[in-house]
Coordinates of all heavy atoms in Angstrom, one line a residue:
M1304 N 0.8 -1.2 0.0 CA 0.0 0.0 0.0 C 0.9 1.2 0.0 O 1.9 1.3 0.7 CB -0.9 0.0 1.2 CG -2.0 -1.0 1.1 SD -3.3 -1.0 2.4 CE -3.4 0.7 3.0
D1305 N 0.4 2.3 -0.7 CA 1.2 3.5 -0.7 C 0.5 4.6 0.1 O -0.6 4.3 0.7 CB 1.5 4.0 -2.2 CG 0.2 4.3 -2.9 OD1 -0.9 4.5 -2.3 OD2 0.3 4.5 -4.2
I1306 N 1.0 5.8 0.1 CA 0.5 6.8 0.9 C -0.9 7.2 0.6 O -1.8 7.5 1.5 CB 1.4 8.1 0.9 CG1 1.1 9.0 2.1 CG2 1.4 8.7 -0.4 CD1 2.1 10.1 2.3
S1307 N -1.3 7.1 -0.7 CA -2.7 7.5 -1.1 C -3.7 6.5 -0.6 O -4.8 6.8 -0.2 CB -2.8 7.7 -2.6 OG -2.5 6.4 -3.2
D1308 N -3.2 5.2 -0.5 CA -4.1 4.2 0.1 C -4.4 4.4 1.6 O -5.5 4.4 2.1 CB -3.5 2.8 -0.1 CG -3.4 2.4 -1.5 OD1 -4.3 2.7 -2.3 OD2 -2.3 1.8 -1.9
W1309 N -3.3 4.8 2.3 CA -3.4 5.1 3.7 C -4.3 6.3 4.0 O -5.1 6.4 4.9 CB -2.0 5.2 4.4 CG -1.4 3.9 4.5 CD1 -0.3 3.4 3.8 CD2 -1.8 2.8 5.4 NE1 0.0 2.1 4.2 CE2 -0.9 1.7 5.2 CE3 -2.8 2.6 6.3 CZ2 -1.0 0.5 5.8 CZ3 -2.9 1.4 7.0 CH2 -2.0 0.4 6.8
R1310 N -4.0 7.3 3.1 CA -4.8 8.5 3.2 C -6.3 8.3 2.9 O -7.2 8.8 3.6 CB -4.3 9.6 2.3 CG -3.0 10.2 2.9 CD -2.5 11.3 1.9 NE -1.3 11.9 2.6 CZ -0.4 12.7 1.9 NH1 -0.6 12.9 0.6 NH2 0.6 13.2 2.5
G1311 N -6.6 7.4 2.0 CA -8.0 7.0 1.7 C -8.6 6.4 2.9 O -9.8 6.6 3.2
R1312 N -7.8 5.5 3.6 CA -8.4 4.9 4.8 C -8.6 5.9 5.9 O -9.7 5.8 6.6 CB -7.4 3.8 5.3 CG -7.3 2.6 4.4 CD -6.4 1.6 5.0 NE -6.5 0.3 4.2 CZ -6.1 -0.9 4.7 NH1 -5.6 -0.9 5.9 NH2 -6.3 -2.0 4.0
I1313 N -7.7 6.8 6.0 CA -8.0 7.9 7.0 C -9.2 8.7 6.7 O -10.0 9.0 7.6 CB -6.7 8.8 7.1 CG1 -5.6 8.0 7.9 CG2 -7.0 10.1 7.9 CD1 -4.3 8.8 7.9
D1314 N -9.4 9.0 5.4 CA -10.6 9.8 5.0 C -11.8 9.0 5.3 O -12.8 9.6 5.8 CB -10.5 10.1 3.5 CG -9.4 11.0 3.1 OD1 -8.9 11.7 4.0 OD2 -9.1 11.1 1.9
T1315 N -11.8 7.7 5.1 CA -13.0 6.9 5.5 C -13.3 6.9 7.0 O -14.4 7.1 7.4 CB -12.8 5.4 5.0 OG1 -12.7 5.5 3.6 CG2 -13.9 4.5 5.4
V1316 N -12.2 6.7 7.8 CA -12.3 6.8 9.2 C -12.8 8.1 9.7 O -13.7 8.2 10.6 CB -11.0 6.4 9.9 CG1 -11.1 6.6 11.4 CG2 -10.7 4.9 9.6
D1317 N -12.3 9.2 9.1 CA -12.8 10.5 9.4 C -14.3 10.7 9.2 O -15.0 11.3 10.1 CB -12.0 11.6 8.6 CG -10.6 11.8 9.1 OD1 -10.2 11.3 10.2 OD2 -9.8 12.4 8.3
R1318 N -14.8 10.2 8.1 CA -16.2 10.3 7.9 C -17.0 9.5 8.9 O -18.1 9.9 9.4 CB -16.5 9.9 6.4 CG -16.1 10.9 5.4 CD -16.6 10.5 4.0 NE -16.1 9.3 3.5 CZ -14.9 9.2 2.8 NH1 -14.1 10.2 2.6 NH2 -14.5 8.0 2.4
I1319 N -16.5 8.3 9.2 CA -17.1 7.5 10.3 C -17.1 8.2 11.6 O -18.1 8.3 12.3 CB -16.5 6.1 10.4 CG1 -16.7 5.3 9.1 CG2 -17.0 5.4 11.6 CD1 -15.9 4.1 9.0
L1320 N -16.0 8.9 11.9 CA -15.9 9.6 13.2 C -16.9 10.8 13.2 O -17.6 11.0 14.3 CB -14.5 10.2 13.4 CG -13.4 9.1 13.8 CD1 -12.1 9.8 13.7 CD2 -13.7 8.6 15.2
V1321 N -17.1 11.5 12.1 CA -18.1 12.6 12.1 C -19.4 12.0 12.3 O -20.2 12.6 13.1 CB -18.0 13.3 10.7 CG1 -19.2 14.2 10.5 CG2 -16.7 14.1 10.6
D1322 N -19.8 10.9 11.7 CA -21.1 10.3 11.9 C -21.3 9.9 13.4 O -22.3 10.2 14.0 CB -21.3 9.1 11.0 CG -21.4 9.4 9.6 OD1 -21.6 10.6 9.2 OD2 -21.2 8.5 8.7
L1323 N -20.2 9.3 14.0 CA -20.3 8.9 15.4 C -20.4 10.1 16.3 O -21.1 10.1 17.3 CB -19.2 8.0 15.8 CG -19.2 6.6 15.1 CD1 -17.9 5.9 15.4 CD2 -20.4 5.8 15.6
I1324 N -19.6 11.2 16.1 CA -19.7 12.4 16.9 C -21.1 13.0 16.8 O -21.7 13.3 17.9 CB -18.6 13.4 16.4 CG1 -17.2 12.9 16.8 CG2 -18.9 14.8 17.1 CD1 -16.1 13.6 16.2
N1325 N -21.7 13.0 15.6 CA -23.0 13.6 15.5 C -24.0 12.7 16.2 O -25.0 13.2 16.8 CB -23.4 13.8 14.1 CG -22.8 15.1 13.5 OD1 -22.9 16.1 14.2 ND2 -22.1 15.0 12.4
R1326 N -23.9 11.4 16.2 CA -24.8 10.5 16.9 C -24.6 10.7 18.4 O -25.6 10.8 19.1 CB -24.4 9.0 16.6 CG -25.4 8.1 17.3 CD -25.1 6.6 17.1 NE -24.9 6.3 15.7 CZ -24.5 5.1 15.4 NH1 -24.2 4.1 16.3 NH2 -24.3 4.8 14.1
R1327 N -23.4 10.9 18.9 CA -23.2 11.2 20.3 C -23.9 12.5 20.7 O -24.5 12.6 21.8 CB -21.7 11.3 20.6 CG -21.3 11.4 22.1 CD -19.8 11.6 22.2 NE -19.4 11.3 23.6 CZ -19.5 12.0 24.6 NH1 -20.2 13.2 24.5 NH2 -19.1 11.7 25.8
M1328 N -23.8 13.5 19.8 CA -24.4 14.8 20.1 C -26.0 14.7 20.1 O -26.7 15.3 20.9 CB -24.0 15.9 19.2 CG -22.5 16.2 19.3 SD -22.0 16.6 21.0 CE -20.4 15.9 21.1
E1329 N -26.5 13.8 19.2 CA -28.0 13.6 19.2 C -28.4 13.0 20.6 O -29.4 13.4 21.1 CB -28.3 12.7 18.1 CG -28.2 13.4 16.7 CD -28.4 12.4 15.5 OE1 -28.6 11.2 15.8 OE2 -28.3 12.9 14.4
Y1330 N -27.6 12.1 21.1 CA -27.9 11.5 22.4 C -27.8 12.5 23.5 O -28.7 12.5 24.4 CB -27.0 10.3 22.7 CG -27.0 9.1 21.8 CD1 -26.0 8.2 21.8 CD2 -28.1 9.0 20.8 CE1 -26.1 7.1 21.0 CE2 -28.1 7.9 20.0 CZ -27.1 6.9 20.1 OH -27.2 5.8 19.2
A1331 N -26.8 13.4 23.4 CA -26.7 14.5 24.4 C -27.9 15.4 24.3 O -28.4 15.8 25.4 CB -25.4 15.3 24.1
L1332 N -28.5 15.7 23.2 CA -29.7 16.5 23.1 C -30.8 15.8 23.8 O -31.6 16.5 24.5 CB -30.0 16.7 21.6 CG -29.2 17.7 20.8 CD1 -29.5 17.7 19.3 CD2 -29.5 19.1 21.4
E1333 N -31.0 14.5 23.6 CA -32.0 13.8 24.3 C -31.8 13.8 25.8 O -32.8 14.0 26.6 CB -32.1 12.3 23.8 CG -32.6 12.2 22.4 CD -33.9 12.9 22.1 OE1 -34.8 12.7 23.0 OE2 -34.1 13.5 21.1
I1334 N -30.6 13.7 26.3 CA -30.3 13.7 27.7 C -30.6 15.1 28.2 O -31.1 15.3 29.3 CB -28.8 13.3 28.0 CG1 -28.6 11.8 27.7 CG2 -28.4 13.7 29.4 CD1 -27.2 11.4 27.7
G1335 N -30.3 16.1 27.4 CA -30.6 17.5 27.8 C -32.1 17.7 28.0 O -32.5 18.4 29.0
K1336 N -32.9 17.1 27.2 CA -34.3 17.2 27.4 C -34.8 16.6 28.7 O -35.6 17.2 29.4 CB -35.1 16.6 26.2 CG -34.9 17.3 24.9 CD -35.6 16.5 23.7 CE -35.2 17.1 22.4 NZ -35.7 16.2 21.3
I1337 N -34.2 15.4 29.0 CA -34.6 14.7 30.2 C -34.1 15.6 31.4 O -34.9 15.7 32.4 CB -34.0 13.3 30.2 CG1 -34.6 12.4 29.1 CG2 -34.1 12.7 31.6 CD1 -33.8 11.1 28.9
K1338 N -32.9 16.1 31.4 CA -32.4 16.9 32.5 C -33.3 18.1 32.6 O -33.6 18.5 33.8 CB -31.0 17.3 32.2 CG -29.9 16.2 32.4 CD -28.5 16.8 32.0 CE -27.5 15.8 32.2 NZ -26.1 16.3 31.8
G1339 N -33.7 18.7 31.5 CA -34.6 19.9 31.6 C -35.9 19.6 32.3 O -36.4 20.3 33.1
D1340 N -36.5 18.5 31.8 CA -37.8 18.0 32.4 C -37.6 17.7 33.9 O -38.6 17.9 34.6 CB -38.3 16.8 31.7 CG -38.7 17.1 30.2 OD1 -38.9 18.2 29.9 OD2 -38.9 16.1 29.5
Q1341 N -36.5 17.2 34.3 CA -36.3 16.8 35.7 C -35.6 17.9 36.5 O -35.4 17.7 37.7 CB -35.5 15.6 35.8 CG -36.2 14.4 35.2 CD -35.3 13.1 35.2 OE1 -34.2 13.1 35.6 NE2 -35.9 12.0 34.8
G1342 N -35.4 19.1 35.9 CA -34.8 20.2 36.6 C -33.3 19.9 37.0 O -32.9 20.5 38.0
Q1343 N -32.6 19.1 36.3 CA -31.2 18.8 36.6 C -30.3 19.7 35.9 O -30.6 20.2 34.8 CB -30.9 17.4 36.2 CG -31.6 16.3 36.9 CD -31.3 14.9 36.4 OE1 -30.4 14.7 35.6 NE2 -31.9 13.9 37.0
P1344 N -29.2 20.0 36.5 CA -28.2 20.9 35.8 C -27.6 20.2 34.6 O -27.6 19.0 34.5 CB -27.1 21.1 36.9 CG -27.2 20.0 37.8 CD -28.7 19.6 37.8
V1345 N -27.2 21.0 33.6 CA -26.6 20.4 32.4 C -25.3 19.7 32.7 O -25.1 18.6 32.3 CB -26.4 21.5 31.4 CG1 -25.5 21.0 30.2 CG2 -27.7 22.1 30.8
R1346 N -24.5 20.3 33.5 CA -23.2 19.7 33.8 C -23.2 18.7 35.0 O -23.8 19.0 36.0 CB -22.1 20.7 34.1 CG -20.7 20.1 34.3 CD -19.7 21.1 34.0 NE -18.4 20.3 33.8 CZ -17.2 20.9 33.9 NH1 -17.1 22.2 34.2 NH2 -16.2 20.1 33.7
D1347 N -22.7 17.5 34.8 CA -22.5 16.5 35.8 C -21.0 16.2 35.9 O -20.6 15.3 35.2 CB -23.4 15.3 35.5 CG -23.4 14.2 36.5 OD1 -22.4 14.2 37.4 OD2 -24.2 13.4 36.5
A1348 N -20.3 16.9 36.7 CA -18.8 16.8 36.7 C -18.4 15.4 37.1 O -17.4 14.8 36.6 CB -18.3 17.8 37.7
E1349 N -19.2 14.7 38.0 CA -18.8 13.4 38.4 C -19.0 12.4 37.3 O -18.1 11.5 37.0 CB -19.7 12.9 39.6 CG -19.3 11.5 40.1 CD -20.1 11.1 41.3 OE1 -20.9 11.9 41.9 OE2 -20.0 9.9 41.6
R1350 N -20.0 12.5 36.5 CA -20.2 11.7 35.3 C -19.1 11.9 34.3 O -18.6 11.0 33.8 CB -21.6 12.0 34.7 CG -21.8 11.5 33.3 CD -22.0 10.0 33.2 NE -22.2 9.6 31.8 CZ -21.9 8.5 31.3 NH1 -21.4 7.5 32.1 NH2 -22.2 8.2 30.0
E1351 N -18.7 13.2 34.1 CA -17.6 13.5 33.2 C -16.3 12.8 33.6 O -15.6 12.2 32.8 CB -17.5 15.0 33.0 CG -18.6 15.6 32.3 CD -18.5 17.1 32.1 OE1 -17.4 17.6 32.4 OE2 -19.5 17.7 31.8
R1352 N -16.0 12.9 34.9 CA -14.8 12.2 35.5 C -14.9 10.7 35.3 O -13.9 10.1 34.9 CB -14.6 12.6 37.0 CG -14.1 13.9 37.2 CD -13.7 14.1 38.7 NE -14.8 13.9 39.6 CZ -15.7 14.9 40.0 NH1 -15.5 16.1 39.5 NH2 -16.7 14.6 40.8
N1353 N -16.0 10.1 35.5 CA -16.2 8.7 35.3 C -16.0 8.3 33.9 O -15.4 7.2 33.6 CB -17.5 8.2 35.9 CG -17.6 8.3 37.4 OD1 -16.6 8.3 38.1 ND2 -18.8 8.4 37.9
V1354 N -16.6 9.1 33.0 CA -16.5 8.8 31.5 C -15.0 8.8 31.1 O -14.5 7.9 30.4 CB -17.3 9.8 30.7 CG1 -16.9 9.7 29.2 CG2 -18.8 9.5 30.8
L1355 N -14.3 9.9 31.5 CA -12.9 10.0 31.2 C -12.0 8.9 31.7 O -11.2 8.3 31.0 CB -12.3 11.4 31.6 CG -12.9 12.6 30.9 CD1 -12.5 13.9 31.5 CD2 -12.5 12.6 29.4
A1356 N -12.3 8.5 33.0 CA -11.6 7.4 33.6 C -11.8 6.1 32.8 O -10.9 5.4 32.6 CB -11.9 7.3 35.1
A1357 N -13.0 5.9 32.5 CA -13.4 4.6 31.7 C -12.7 4.6 30.4 O -12.2 3.6 29.9 CB -14.9 4.5 31.6
L1358 N -12.7 5.7 29.7 CA -12.1 5.8 28.4 C -10.6 5.6 28.5 O -10.0 4.9 27.6 CB -12.4 7.2 27.7 CG -13.8 7.4 27.3 CD1 -14.1 8.8 26.9 CD2 -14.2 6.4 26.2
K1359 N -10.0 6.2 29.5 CA -8.5 6.0 29.6 C -8.2 4.5 30.0 O -7.2 4.0 29.5 CB -7.9 7.0 30.7 CG -7.9 8.4 30.1 CD -7.2 9.3 31.0 CE -8.1 9.9 32.1 NZ -7.4 10.9 32.9
K1360 N -9.0 3.9 30.8 CA -8.8 2.5 31.1 C -9.0 1.7 29.8 O -8.2 0.7 29.7 CB -9.9 2.1 32.1 CG -9.7 0.7 32.6 CD -10.7 0.3 33.7 CE -10.5 -1.1 34.2 NZ -11.4 -1.5 35.2
H1361 N -9.9 2.0 28.9 CA -10.1 1.3 27.7 C -9.0 1.6 26.7 O -8.7 0.7 25.8 CB -11.4 1.7 27.1 CG -11.8 1.0 25.8 ND1 -12.1 -0.3 25.7 CD2 -11.8 1.5 24.5 CE1 -12.3 -0.6 24.4 NE2 -12.1 0.5 23.7
N1362 N -8.3 2.7 26.8 CA -7.3 3.1 25.8 C -6.1 2.2 25.8 O -5.5 1.9 26.8 CB -6.9 4.5 26.1 CG -5.9 5.1 25.0 OD1 -5.9 4.7 23.9 ND2 -5.0 6.0 25.5
C1363 N -5.8 1.7 24.6 CA -4.6 0.8 24.4 C -3.6 1.5 23.4 O -2.7 0.8 22.9 CB -5.0 -0.6 24.0 SG -5.9 -0.7 22.5
G1364 N -3.8 2.8 23.2 CA -2.8 3.5 22.3 C -3.0 3.2 20.9 O -3.8 2.4 20.5
P1365 N -2.2 3.9 20.1 CA -1.1 4.7 20.4 C -1.4 6.1 20.9 O -0.5 6.8 21.3 CB -0.3 4.8 19.1 CG -1.3 4.7 18.0 CD -2.4 3.8 18.6
V1366 N -2.7 6.6 20.9 CA -3.0 7.9 21.4 C -2.8 7.9 22.9 O -3.1 6.9 23.6 CB -4.4 8.3 21.0 CG1 -5.5 7.5 21.7 CG2 -4.7 9.8 21.3
S1367 N -2.2 9.0 23.4 CA -1.9 9.1 24.8 C -3.2 9.3 25.6 O -4.2 9.8 25.0 CB -1.0 10.2 25.1 OG -1.6 11.5 24.9
D1368 N -3.2 9.0 26.9 CA -4.4 9.2 27.7 C -4.7 10.7 27.8 O -5.8 11.2 27.8 CB -4.2 8.7 29.1 CG -4.3 7.2 29.2 OD1 -4.8 6.6 28.2 OD2 -4.0 6.6 30.3
A1369 N -3.6 11.6 27.8 CA -3.8 13.0 27.9 C -4.5 13.5 26.6 O -5.4 14.4 26.7 CB -2.4 13.7 28.1
A1370 N -4.1 13.1 25.5 CA -4.7 13.5 24.2 C -6.1 13.0 24.2 O -7.0 13.8 23.7 CB -3.9 13.0 23.0
L1371 N -6.4 11.8 24.6 CA -7.7 11.3 24.6 C -8.6 12.1 25.5 O -9.8 12.4 25.1 CB -7.7 9.8 25.0 CG -9.0 9.0 24.8 CD1 -9.2 8.7 23.3 CD2 -8.9 7.7 25.6
E1372 N -8.1 12.4 26.7 CA -8.9 13.3 27.6 C -9.2 14.6 27.0 O -10.3 15.1 27.1 CB -8.1 13.4 28.9 CG -8.9 14.2 29.9 CD -8.3 14.2 31.3 OE1 -7.4 13.3 31.6 OE2 -8.6 15.0 32.1
D1373 N -8.2 15.2 26.3 CA -8.5 16.5 25.7 C -9.6 16.4 24.6 O -10.5 17.3 24.6 CB -7.2 17.0 25.0 CG -6.1 17.5 25.9 OD1 -6.4 17.8 27.1 OD2 -5.0 17.7 25.5
I1374 N -9.5 15.4 23.8 CA -10.5 15.2 22.8 C -11.9 15.0 23.4 O -12.9 15.7 23.0 CB -10.2 14.0 21.9 CG1 -8.9 14.3 21.1 CG2 -11.4 13.6 21.0 CD1 -8.3 13.0 20.5
F1375 N -12.0 14.2 24.4 CA -13.3 13.9 25.0 C -13.8 15.1 25.8 O -15.0 15.3 25.9 CB -13.3 12.6 25.7 CG -13.6 11.5 24.8 CD1 -12.6 10.8 24.1 CD2 -14.9 11.1 24.5 CE1 -12.8 9.8 23.2 CE2 -15.2 10.0 23.6 CZ -14.1 9.4 22.9
Q1376 N -12.9 15.8 26.5 CA -13.4 17.0 27.2 C -14.0 18.0 26.2 O -15.0 18.6 26.5 CB -12.2 17.7 27.9 CG -11.9 16.9 29.2 CD -10.8 17.6 30.0 OE1 -9.9 18.3 29.4 NE2 -10.7 17.3 31.3
R1377 N -13.4 18.1 25.0 CA -14.0 19.0 24.0 C -15.3 18.5 23.5 O -16.3 19.3 23.3 CB -13.0 19.2 22.8 CG -13.5 20.1 21.7 CD -13.7 21.5 22.3 NE -14.3 22.4 21.3 CZ -15.6 22.7 21.2 NH1 -16.4 22.3 22.2 NH2 -16.0 23.4 20.3
L1378 N -15.5 17.2 23.3 CA -16.8 16.6 23.0 C -17.8 16.9 24.0 O -19.0 17.2 23.7 CB -16.6 15.1 22.7 CG -15.9 14.7 21.4 CD1 -15.6 13.2 21.4 CD2 -16.7 15.2 20.2
M1379 N -17.4 16.7 25.3 CA -18.4 16.9 26.4 C -18.7 18.4 26.5 O -19.9 18.7 26.8 CB -17.8 16.4 27.7 CG -17.8 14.8 27.7 SD -17.4 14.1 29.3 CE -15.6 14.3 29.2
E1380 N -17.8 19.3 26.2 CA -18.1 20.7 26.2 C -19.2 21.0 25.2 O -20.1 21.8 25.4 CB -16.8 21.5 26.0 CG -17.0 23.0 26.0 CD -15.8 23.8 25.6 OE1 -14.7 23.3 26.0 OE2 -15.9 24.8 25.0
E1381 N -19.0 20.5 24.0 CA -19.9 20.7 22.9 C -21.3 20.1 23.3 O -22.3 20.7 23.0 CB -19.4 20.1 21.6 CG -20.3 20.3 20.4 CD -20.4 21.7 20.0 OE1 -19.6 22.5 20.3 OE2 -21.5 22.1 19.4
A1382 N -21.3 18.9 23.9 CA -22.5 18.3 24.3 C -23.3 19.2 25.3 O -24.5 19.3 25.3 CB -22.3 16.9 24.9
R1383 N -22.5 19.7 26.3 CA -23.1 20.6 27.3 C -23.8 21.8 26.6 O -24.9 22.2 27.0 CB -22.1 21.1 28.3 CG -21.7 20.0 29.3 CD -21.0 20.6 30.5 NE -19.8 21.4 30.1 CZ -18.6 20.9 29.9 NH1 -18.3 19.6 30.1 NH2 -17.6 21.7 29.6
D1384 N -23.1 22.4 25.6 CA -23.6 23.5 24.9 C -24.9 23.1 24.2 O -25.9 23.9 24.2 CB -22.6 24.1 23.9 CG -21.5 24.8 24.5 OD1 -21.5 25.1 25.8 OD2 -20.5 25.1 23.8
L1385 N -25.0 21.9 23.6 CA -26.2 21.5 23.0 C -27.3 21.2 23.9 O -28.5 21.4 23.7 CB -25.9 20.2 22.2 CG -25.1 20.4 20.9 CD1 -24.7 19.0 20.3 CD2 -25.8 21.2 19.9
E1386 N -27.0 20.7 25.1 CA -28.0 20.3 26.1 C -28.6 21.6 26.7 O -29.7 21.5 27.2 CB -27.3 19.5 27.2 CG -27.0 18.1 26.8 CD -26.4 17.3 28.0 OE1 -26.8 17.5 29.2 OE2 -25.5 16.4 27.7
D1387 N -27.9 22.7 26.8 CA -28.4 23.9 27.4 C -29.2 24.7 26.5 O -28.7 25.3 25.5 CB -27.2 24.7 27.9 CG -27.5 25.9 28.8 OD1 -28.7 26.2 28.8 OD2 -26.6 26.4 29.4
P1388 N -30.5 24.7 26.7 CA -31.4 25.5 25.8 C -31.2 27.0 25.8 O -31.6 27.6 24.9 CB -32.8 25.1 26.4 CG -32.6 24.7 27.8 CD -31.2 24.1 27.9
S1389 N -30.5 27.5 26.8 CA -30.2 28.9 26.8 C -29.1 29.3 25.8 O -28.8 30.5 25.5 CB -29.8 29.4 28.2 OG -28.6 28.9 28.6
K1390 N -28.3 28.3 25.3 CA -27.3 28.5 24.3 C -27.9 28.4 23.0 O -28.9 27.8 22.7 CB -26.2 27.4 24.5 CG -25.6 27.4 25.8 CD -24.2 27.9 25.8 CE -23.6 27.9 27.2 NZ -22.3 28.2 27.2
D1391 N -27.2 29.1 22.0 CA -27.7 29.1 20.7 C -27.1 28.0 19.8 O -27.3 27.9 18.6 CB -27.5 30.4 20.0 CG -26.1 30.8 19.8 OD1 -25.2 30.0 20.2 OD2 -25.8 31.9 19.4
G1392 N -26.3 27.1 20.4 CA -25.7 26.0 19.7 C -24.4 26.4 19.1 O -23.7 25.5 18.5
D1393 N -23.9 27.6 19.3 CA -22.6 28.0 18.8 C -21.7 28.1 19.9 O -21.7 29.0 20.7 CB -22.8 29.4 18.0 CG -21.5 29.8 17.4 OD1 -20.6 29.0 17.3 OD2 -21.4 31.1 17.1
S1394 N -20.7 27.2 20.0 CA -19.8 27.1 21.1 C -18.5 27.9 20.8 O -17.6 27.8 21.6 CB -19.5 25.7 21.5 OG -18.9 25.0 20.4
S1395 N -18.4 28.6 19.7 CA -17.2 29.3 19.4 C -17.1 30.6 20.0 O -18.0 31.1 20.6 CB -17.0 29.4 17.9 OG -18.2 30.0 17.3

């Protein structure tokens, strides 16, 4: 395989990741509705710590635990923005 083959594989994985990220955010929207109905706060710091710990335990590399944590903290930040009806969905 040459570089273009590997890049093609990366492009495919990138598209799959986009689909999975959007699916995760759709689930976050549903969770946000439930939290809103139950009067719960959007942020659950303990849940976030548990998610990160479980992901790092699952991680077998080559991505570092620190990098994985950065990626998922950003995903969780975006999810919180989506869950919060007072936000306009723009986290930039």
Side-chain angles (χ1 to χ4, degrees):
M1304 286 186 31
D1305 66 14
I1306 194 168
S1307 64
D1308 296 321
W1309 287 109
R1310 286 180 174 163
R1312 286 180 173 203
I1313 286 174
D1314 292 345
T1315 298
V1316 169
D1317 287 348
R1318 287 188 298 273
I1319 292 168
L1320 286 170
V1321 168
D1322 292 343
L1323 290 172
I1324 289 167
N1325 281 312
R1326 184 184 309 172
R1327 189 184 198 285
M1328 295 306 145
E1329 288 170 0
Y1330 296 167
L1332 284 169
E1333 293 302 319
I1334 289 170
K1336 291 175 190 174
I1337 294 167
K1338 287 178 180 177
D1340 291 346
Q1341 296 178 354
Q1343 296 178 4
V1345 169
R1346 185 156 198 199
D1347 183 343
E1349 181 177 353
R1350 166 71 178 154
E1351 290 179 15
R1352 282 190 300 273
N1353 290 338
V1354 167
L1355 292 171
L1358 290 169
K1359 287 189 275 187
K1360 184 176 179 182
H1361 178 73
N1362 185 28
C1363 59
V1366 69
S1367 70
D1368 284 351
L1371 192 70
E1372 184 169 341
D1373 287 345
I1374 291 164
F1375 275 88
Q1376 282 181 335
R1377 181 63 186 100
L1378 288 171
M1379 288 186 282
E1380 179 183 329
E1381 182 65 22
R1383 285 192 307 270
D1384 288 349
L1385 287 172
E1386 287 180 34
D1387 189 345
S1389 69
K1390 303 254 180 169
D1391 63 6
D1393 182 17
S1394 61
S1395 52

